[in-house]
Amino acid sequence: MSDELKRKAAAAALEEVEAGMRIGIGTGSTAEHFIRLVGERVRAGLEIVGVPTSERSAKLSREEGIRLSTLEDLPELDLTIDGADELDDNLNLIKGGGGALLREKIVATASKRMIVIADSSKHVRQLGAFALPVEVVPFGLGSTERALARVLSSCGYEPRLSLRGGRQNPFVTDGGHHILDADLRHIADPDALSDALLRVPGVVDHGLFLGIAACAYIAGDGGVRKIEAAR
Ligand code: 5RP
């Protein structure tokens, strides 16, 4: 059911894709629906070029026959279409459940517009039920984790951090980093939290996407709803 809703959200966003566009291609199961739908259009003659946000999405895009490029060759994109783990009414997001948050944020901010596609279970009143992914460099992992715990405490959160994949076999991102997932329950002030996290040496980035998304297509039982950012 939720997979069908993800496909519907992806299909609605496909309407925004026009010939000649430079498109940032997201990561995750919802983005994969989008990639397959774009692939169908490409095989029917649509000419676009895509910049993928992960090796996984790059592979699927190639299999679908989508022409790919890089931000070196195309530093500005027209549109990025990507999923999210949570989104609120202001279109602030938590991303990184699929481990691609760094490339996703770079690609989204290199785009004139970012469009989020999601099933309605991702739409929340307040961010934070989904553990916030924090991408960190492997060097100094133990110290970075302690520093993060201190920062989270000083921001009023109980510091519940877990290394994705575990100590024995930690998950490695496409950029060669690890992810600490911070279980925060409720994020009262996303901007303050973002600033505090980015001040910790060893933190590369985090999964809060604040003021980046322009609109979202959210598919629920009653159909697909479009939400625009109030900016
Ligand atoms: C990957 C992401 C994904 O967009 C997010 O995890 C949503 O995934 P899905 O569409 O599979 O629910 O941020 O890093």
Side-chain angles (χ1 to χ4, degrees), residues 6 27-31 82-85 94-101 104 122:
K6 289 176 183 189
T27 294
S29 55
T30 317
D82 201 350
D85 298 300
I94 288 183
K95 287 185 51 57
L101 68 98
E104 288 172 334
K122 309 285 188 69

Side-chain angles (χ1 to χ4, degrees), residues 1-2 5 13-14 69 85 91 124 128-129 134 137 173 191 196 199 205:
M1 180 60 185
S2 116
L5 294 179
L14 187 68
S69 186
D85 298 300
L91 295 191
V124 297
V134 181
V137 294
T173 68
D191 288 294
R199 280 198 297 271
D205 213 327

Side-chain angles (χ1 to χ4, degrees), residues 120-226:
S120 55
S121 70
K122 309 285 188 69
H123 189 198
V124 297
R125 264 178 13 98
Q126 189 176 39
L127 300 177
F130 190 91
L132 178 67
V134 181
E135 185 156 345
V136 297
V137 294
F139 179 84
L141 177 62
S143 308
T144 305
E145 187 167 0
R146 284 168 68 109
L148 269 173
R150 277 197 301 275
V151 160
L152 289 172
S153 291
S154 72
C155 291
Y157 299 98
E158 264 187 57
R160 287 179 285 251
L161 289 162
S162 60
L163 180 64
R164 194 175 296 182
R167 234 73 206 176
Q168 298 304 315
N169 188 24
F171 175 81
V172 180
T173 68
D174 285 343
H177 307 129
H178 296 320
I179 291 187
L180 289 162
D181 289 301
D183 176 10
L184 305 174
R185 311 283 158 91
H186 303 284
I187 299 177
D189 187 342
D191 288 294
L193 178 62
S194 169
D195 291 347
L197 293 175
L198 292 176
R199 280 198 297 271
V200 177
V203 168
V204 183
D205 213 327
H206 55 68
L208 285 169
F209 282 47
L210 308 178
I212 296 177
C215 81
Y217 287 96
I218 301 172
D221 293 336
V224 181
R225 215 152 55 90
K226 183 177 184 181

